[in-house]
Amino acid sequence: MKLDHLNDRQRQAVTTTEGPLLVLAGAGSGKTRVLTHRIAYLIKDKGVPPYQILALTFTNKAAKEMRDRVNSLIEGDAGSSVWVFTFHGFCVRILQAEIDKLGYQKGFIIYDEQDQQSLIGHVIKDLNLNDKIYSKKMLSSVFSDAKNHSLKPERFLSETSQPDPVIQAYRLYQKRLKEANALDFDDLLLKTIDLFEAFPDVLEKYRDRFHYILVDEYQDTNLAQYHIVSMLAKKHRNLCVVGDDDQSIYAWRGADIRNILEFEKDFEGCTVIRLEQNYRSTSKILDAANEVIANNRGRKAKKLWTAKTGGEDIDVHESDDERDEAYYICSRIANGVRAGARYDNYAILYRTHAQSRILEMMLKSFMIPYRVYGGTSFFSRAEVKDILAYLRLFLNPADDEAFLRVVNLPPRGVGGSSILALMAHAREKELPLMSAAGDPGEMPARIAAKFFPFLDMMAPLYAKLGTMPLSEFTEELLRTIGYDAYLRSDKKENYETRAEIVEELIGYIKEFEASYSDSDGDVLQAFLTNVALFSQADAVQEDNGCVNLMTLHSAKGLEFPVVFLCGMEDGLFPASQSRFDPEKLEEERRLCYVGVTRAKEKLYLSYVRERMLYGQRSSMMPSQFLQEMGNALPVNRSQPKQVFREPPQPKKVQESFHSYTPPKPTSQFTYQPVKAEPAKVQKRDFDGNVGEFVRHKVFGRGQILSISGQGSAKIVEIRFDNGVVKKLAAAFAPLEKES
C-alpha cells in the first residue's frame, strides 16, 4: 500500500501495528487519515481479516466518514466488514444480540432525554415527591451524572450522600425502564459492561473476534468507555488510541482526561507518536493557539506547526456592548460576501447559547442567512416525536411513554382521569399500559370504553406491519390516524411548516430504507436505533449556504475559513465559576484552543466593555486568554471604534429548525454594491435632556434617564412605559421629543 503522501510521523502511526499505541494528534494534523490508512494497511499489507478490526469514534458523522474513506482505499467491499461504530452504536450492536441474557427482550427501545424526563415525572408522582425539590430536570441530571462517573450508579449515589428520595427515585426509574423493555442513552454502555462481567463467555467471544482495536478522540472517553476498551483489548493488546489532550472539553458530561494522560501507565510497553504538523490553519492562527494552551500544566507537551506560513493577522476588536459586537461581526460578514466569499465560509462561536439571541437579531437586520446548531434538533420536533412514538409502540407494545404520548393524539376523547385510572390498573396487574387497556378487568366500563377506539385503530395496522416498506407503512399510519387533519386543525402552529417536517421525516425513512442492507434484520428497529443514536454534531453541514452559529463545544471537529470567537471576556470566557478552580480553568483554556483552531484562514476575537450577563448589565474586562495569546497577536491591536447603530427592526420570520433565510426579492432588481462598506445610516441631531419624555417608533413612550458621550457617540438611556430600560445611539435611533 502506497504511503508516500503521508508525513513521516503519520506513516509511523500507520505501520506500528503491534502492541499498544498512543497517537497524540494535534488539531488539524490528519488523525482521520491516519486511522483510515491504518485500517487499510492492516487489511492490504498485513492480511488481517476485516471482521477482526474494530474502530470506535463519537459521532455517526465521523463513523460514516471513516467507513467511506476505508472503502475508497480498499478495492472491493472488504472494508464493509470492518466494525466502525460510535461507542453507543457498538454497544447497541452487542446488546441487540445478547441482551436477553440480562432479562430484557432483544427488541428494546432507547429512550431520549424527553422520554427520560417524562418517565421521571411519573416516578415523582408515584413516590409522592415534592417536585419543587426533586424536579424532573434535577433528577435526570443526577442520574446521568452517576452513570457517567461510575460503573455502579446506585452505589455512586449512596457514596456521594444523595438523600434517600433520590436513591428511591433512581431504583424505581430503572425498574420502570426494564418493565418498558427500554434503556436510556447512558445505560447502553453500562449494560454492555454488566453483560461482559456477568457472562465471561460473551466477553471472550468478542475478545477473540477483535484482534485490532482503534479508538478515535480518546481524550473524550469516560469511565465506562475506558472499561469497555480495556476489557476488549486485554487479550491481543493491539490497541491504537488517537486523541489530543489539549482538546479534552467534555468533563461536564463524564469525559476523563486521565484516560489519555495515563495511557502509558495503563498499557505497559506503549509506543507514543506525536502528530504536530497542522494542515488546516495559517501559522499566525497556530501561534495564538500554541501560546494560550502552553499555560496549561496538565498536558503532554506538543507544539503545532504548519507549512502555511504567514497569513492574515488576527483581528482583536473591542465593542461597547453585545449589540455593537454583533454589528461589527455582521458588517465584516457582509463586506466579505460582497467581495466574493460565501456565507458558509463564516462561523460565529460563543461560550453560551444565550449569546446567540442578539447575534440572530443583527443577522436578520443585515438579511444574512444563518443556522444555529445546538438548539431544537429535527428529531426533537413535536411532529417527529409523535410519529416516532407510534412506530416505537409497533416495535415494543410495552413502551408506556410512547403509549401515553399517542393514546389521545390526535384527540379522541381520552382524558387525564381515564389515563390515571388505566395507570393504576396497569400497576396493580403488573402490565404495560397497552396490554392493560386491552384487558380492563375490574376497571369501570365507561373508562375502559375510552381506550377501545384506539385499540381498534391499532389492530389492523399491527397486521400490516412488515407487509410493505416502512415508509409506506408510516404513510398508511398517518392516513389512518388522520394526522394531516389534526395539523390543519391546530391554529396555534403554522400548518405548512409542520407538514414540511412530516414530509421530511418520510423522506428520511425512504433514504434509510434505500441504504439499509441487512435483509434479515428488522428495518423498523434499525431505523429507530439510528434515530436514537443521532447527535447534534451529525446535523452540522459546513457547506449549507448559511453563516454557522454554535457554541464552542458544538464546534469541535469542524473547520471554517473564517471564525469569529466572540464574548472574549473574563466572567463569560473563562466562565466565572472556573476562574478559581485550576482544573476547570484548564478545561476552559482547552475550549479556547479548540475555538482558535477551527479557523483556517482568518480569526476574529471580540470582547465588549459592557454586557447583559446573568440578568443584569455588567462592566466586563478582556479575557485572560487574550493576554495569554499576547505574543501571537498584532502589536497594534487598536481597531476603529464602531458607533452603536440601532439595527432596523426585522419583521417576524417563521423559522424552521432554528435557521433563517432572508425572503426572496419580489422584483427583478438585484442589489450589487459598488464597494464593500456597510450601508450608511442617516444621522440626526438629538437635543433632548434628562427627565424629558420621548417616543420611539418601536418601543413607544419613555423618559430619558441619562445622556453620555458627544456627537455621533451620544448614548441616551431611556426607561420606556413598559418598564424596559434601553441604551440607544441618539444619532441613529428613531426618537422624537414629546411636545
Side-chain angles (χ1 to χ4, degrees):
M1 182 175 177
K2 291 184 178 181
L3 302 175
D4 298 344
H5 55 293
L6 303 180
N7 67 40
D8 290 344
R9 291 188 181 178
Q10 289 176 335
R11 195 157 47 247
Q12 183 186 0
V14 167
T15 57
T16 304
T17 59
E18 307 307 305
L21 172 65
L22 169 62
V23 180
L24 293 170
S29 62
K31 67 178 179 63
T32 304
R33 171 180 285 192
V34 166
L35 285 166
T36 52
H37 279 74
R38 182 180 173 88
I39 294 171
Y41 179 79
L42 285 169
I43 296 171
K44 294 183 70 173
D45 286 42
K46 303 290 289 185
V48 177
Y51 60 82
Q52 291 184 351
I53 302 172
L54 170 65
L56 298 170
T57 186
F58 277 85
T59 68
N60 295 318
K61 183 179 179 181
K64 182 180 184 304
E65 181 183 2
M66 203 180 298
R67 278 192 293 267
D68 291 345
R69 287 206 201 180
V70 169
N71 285 329
S72 69
L73 293 170
I74 301 175
E75 297 177 2
D77 60 353
S80 60
S81 299
V82 178
W83 276 36
V84 183
F85 290 107
T86 65
F87 270 97
H88 291 86
F90 169 73
C91 290
V92 166
R93 186 77 173 259
I94 299 294
L95 293 172
Q96 284 175 342
E98 314 283 355
I99 199 171
D100 56 322
K101 295 179 175 64
L102 296 177
Y104 290 77
Q105 298 176 28
K106 291 186 177 180
F108 62 88
I109 290 293
I110 303 169
Y111 274 9
D112 66 12
E113 187 175 352
Q114 290 185 35
D115 299 320
Q116 290 173 253
Q117 297 262 332
S118 178
L119 178 55
I120 290 172
H122 297 135
V123 167
I124 291 170
K125 289 181 180 178
D126 289 347
L127 293 177
N128 198 27
L129 299 181
N130 184 335
D131 60 5
K132 297 292 188 291
I133 300 174
Y134 304 105
S135 67
K136 291 188 291 185
K137 185 175 181 180
M138 174 268 194
L139 288 176
S140 64
S141 176
V142 170
F143 295 170
S144 182
D145 191 55
K147 291 181 179 183
N148 277 310
H149 289 87
S150 71
L151 303 181
K152 304 296 179 185
E154 189 173 329
R155 184 191 304 165
F156 178 86
L157 293 173
S158 297
E159 292 174 351
T160 54
S161 302
Q162 290 291 340
D164 286 343
V166 172
I167 298 173
Q168 292 172 22
Y170 178 79
R171 288 173 182 158
L172 185 56
Y173 169 72
Q174 290 298 125
K175 181 174 182 287
R176 294 284 165 78
L177 277 173
K178 190 166 186 179
E179 289 172 350
N181 199 39
L183 303 176
D184 66 23
F185 205 62
D186 298 320
D187 276 336
L188 296 175
L189 302 176
L190 295 181
K191 292 302 179 186
T192 301
I193 293 174
D194 289 348
L195 178 71
F196 286 165
E197 290 180 341
F199 299 92
D201 57 320
V202 174
L203 173 59
E204 194 63 24
K205 178 172 73 173
Y206 290 102
R207 278 179 177 169
D208 284 339
R209 171 160 187 168
F210 299 119
H211 291 213
Y212 294 86
I213 301 173
L214 301 87
V215 183
D216 189 16
E217 305 285 11
Y218 191 67
Q219 78 282 348
D220 293 336
T221 53
N222 62 19
L223 182 63
Q225 290 157 338
Y226 166 81
H227 272 270
I228 289 170
V229 170
S230 299
M231 294 168 85
L232 289 171
K234 188 173 183 179
K235 184 170 187 176
H236 297 287
R237 299 189 77 246
N238 297 322
L239 171 62
C240 169
V241 302
V242 181
D244 182 6
D245 51 299
D246 289 335
Q247 297 186 72
S248 179
I249 59 173
Y250 296 121
W252 51 276
R253 69 182 189 195
D256 193 336
I257 193 172
R258 292 176 301 178
N259 291 349
I260 191 167
L261 293 179
E262 298 178 5
F263 185 83
E264 294 159 87
K265 295 180 182 178
D266 294 336
F267 296 91
E268 189 178 346
C270 164
T271 301
V272 180
I273 298 172
R274 287 172 168 80
L275 304 182
E276 296 172 301
Q277 182 175 1
N278 176 284
Y279 294 91
R280 176 188 300 156
S281 307
T282 65
S283 61
K284 291 190 175 181
I285 292 170
L286 293 185
D287 287 345
N290 286 326
E291 288 283 338
V292 72
I293 201 61
N295 291 274
N296 271 10
R297 294 185 178 183
R299 65 185 294 260
K300 290 181 176 291
K302 69 184 88 62
K303 189 170 184 178
L304 295 179
W305 64 276
T306 180
K308 296 161 64 174
T309 57
E312 290 192 56
D313 283 342
I314 297 171
D315 277 14
V316 182
H317 184 79
E318 178 188 85
S319 299
D320 288 334
D321 59 18
E322 60 268 40
R323 289 175 180 264
D324 191 19
E325 178 184 54
Y327 183 91
Y328 167 75
I329 292 171
C330 291
S331 65
R332 299 283 79 73
I333 294 173
N335 289 347
V337 171
R338 289 168 188 162
R342 292 163 48 96
Y343 284 118
D344 53 26
N345 288 168
Y346 297 91
I348 305 174
L349 310 182
Y350 36 78
R351 181 63 182 84
T352 67
H353 284 294
Q355 291 171 257
S356 73
R357 184 181 64 83
I358 297 297
L359 290 164
E360 289 188 64
M361 185 189 78
M362 195 66 70
L363 286 162
K364 286 181 180 179
S365 74
F366 271 74
M367 304 295 282
I368 293 174
Y370 68 86
R371 182 158 184 175
V372 180
Y373 292 95
T376 302
S377 76
F378 174 74
F379 292 111
S380 295
R381 295 282 308 203
E383 302 79 22
V384 175
K385 294 284 289 181
D386 292 344
I387 299 168
L388 293 179
Y390 269 105
L391 294 177
R392 280 168 42 185
L393 204 54
F394 286 110
L395 176 66
N396 177 21
D399 188 347
D400 285 354
E401 295 306 313
F403 177 88
L404 290 171
R405 185 178 186 100
V406 303
V407 68
N408 195 43
L409 193 147
R412 49 179 68 91
V414 180
S417 58
S418 298
I419 290 175
L420 289 175
L422 176 65
M423 292 175 73
H425 171 65
R427 294 282 177 259
E428 182 183 346
K429 296 292 185 181
E430 296 185 343
L431 292 172
L433 294 177
M434 186 85 161
S435 300
D439 182 16
E442 304 299 321
M443 238 184 354
R446 61 180 181 79
I447 293 179
K450 295 283 188 180
F451 299 98
F452 292 157
F454 175 73
L455 297 175
D456 290 343
M457 178 198 71
M458 294 289 282
L461 287 170
Y462 270 108
K464 293 180 181 179
L465 185 64
T467 65
M468 60 182 74
L470 179 59
S471 56
E472 291 182 18
F473 175 79
T474 306
E475 290 173 322
E476 175 70 12
L477 164 68
L478 295 176
R479 283 192 294 271
T480 301
I481 66 177
Y483 197 70
D484 188 71
Y486 160 68
L487 294 181
R488 289 181 183 276
S489 66
D490 186 357
K491 303 302 182 184
K492 297 178 184 178
E493 299 281 352
N494 179 280
Y495 165 75
E496 287 76 14
T497 298
R498 301 180 77 188
E500 287 173 4
I501 291 167
V502 174
E503 287 300 317
E504 184 166 345
L505 177 61
I506 297 297
Y508 182 75
I509 296 174
K510 290 179 179 178
E511 289 179 7
F512 182 83
E513 286 176 321
S515 63
Y516 185 65
S517 57
D518 188 352
S519 58
D520 297 325
D522 185 329
V523 66
L524 175 56
Q525 182 175 7
F527 173 73
L528 291 174
T529 299
N530 178 268
V531 170
L533 296 179
F534 177 86
S535 70
Q536 287 285 356
D538 298 321
V540 179
Q541 297 176 333
E542 292 151 276
D543 55 349
N544 57 15
C546 300
V547 173
N548 299 277
L549 276 70
M550 64 190 75
T551 64
L552 285 155
H553 284 99
S554 298
K556 186 170 172 292
L558 304 176
E559 59 183 41
F560 302 92
V562 183
V563 167
F564 293 90
L565 185 44
C566 60
M568 295 290 293
E569 301 124 33
D570 277 342
L572 180 60
F573 191 37
S576 57
Q577 62 266 32
S578 304
R579 296 177 64 190
F580 305 106
D581 184 324
E583 288 188 4
K584 289 183 178 179
L585 182 58
E586 292 213 347
E587 176 147 336
E588 290 280 299
R589 191 175 284 114
R590 293 193 292 269
L591 193 57
C592 180
Y593 173 85
V594 166
V596 169
T597 54
R598 298 313 93 195
K600 297 168 67 176
E601 301 166 8
K602 178 70 176 180
L603 175 65
Y604 293 88
L605 304 171
S606 67
Y607 63 95
V608 303
R609 292 201 296 255
E610 182 180 283
R611 181 182 296 275
M612 182 66 73
L613 195 64
Y614 309 123
Q616 62 182 14
R617 189 151 290 282
S618 305
S619 296
M620 309 299 289
M621 294 295 292
S623 169
Q624 71 177 80
F625 298 152
L626 290 175
Q627 298 172 3
E628 293 171 358
M629 297 181 208
N631 293 334
L633 300 179
V635 175
N636 180 11
R637 296 188 346 213
S638 61
Q639 301 289 333
K641 282 297 298 133
Q642 297 289 321
V643 177
F644 175 81
R645 297 167 170 81
E646 181 70 6
Q649 297 299 311
K651 296 179 180 178
K652 187 174 182 180
V653 179
Q654 178 64 43
E655 294 188 21
S656 175
F657 317 142
H658 211 10
S659 61
Y660 169 72
T661 304
K664 295 179 180 178
T666 55
S667 69
Q668 298 287 325
F669 176 73
T670 302
Y671 173 57
Q672 295 180 326
V674 176
K675 56 183 179 178
E677 291 294 336
K680 298 293 183 182
V681 179
Q682 183 64 44
K683 295 183 180 180
R684 52 190 298 277
D685 293 328
F686 179 77
D687 58 353
N689 298 303
V690 173
E692 292 182 340
F693 286 88
V694 294
R695 184 166 293 278
H696 187 282
K697 289 184 178 179
V698 174
F699 305 121
R701 182 176 179 272
Q703 185 178 25
I704 300 174
L705 300 179
S706 66
I707 300 174
S708 59
Q710 300 291 326
S712 295
K714 182 184 289 184
I715 301 296
V716 185
E717 185 179 27
I718 302 171
R719 177 184 287 113
F720 291 97
D721 288 351
N722 61 4
V724 173
V725 177
K726 288 187 174 290
K727 289 184 177 181
L728 305 175
F732 304 100
L735 294 172
E736 298 291 340
K737 289 174 61 176
E738 282 203 339
S739 56

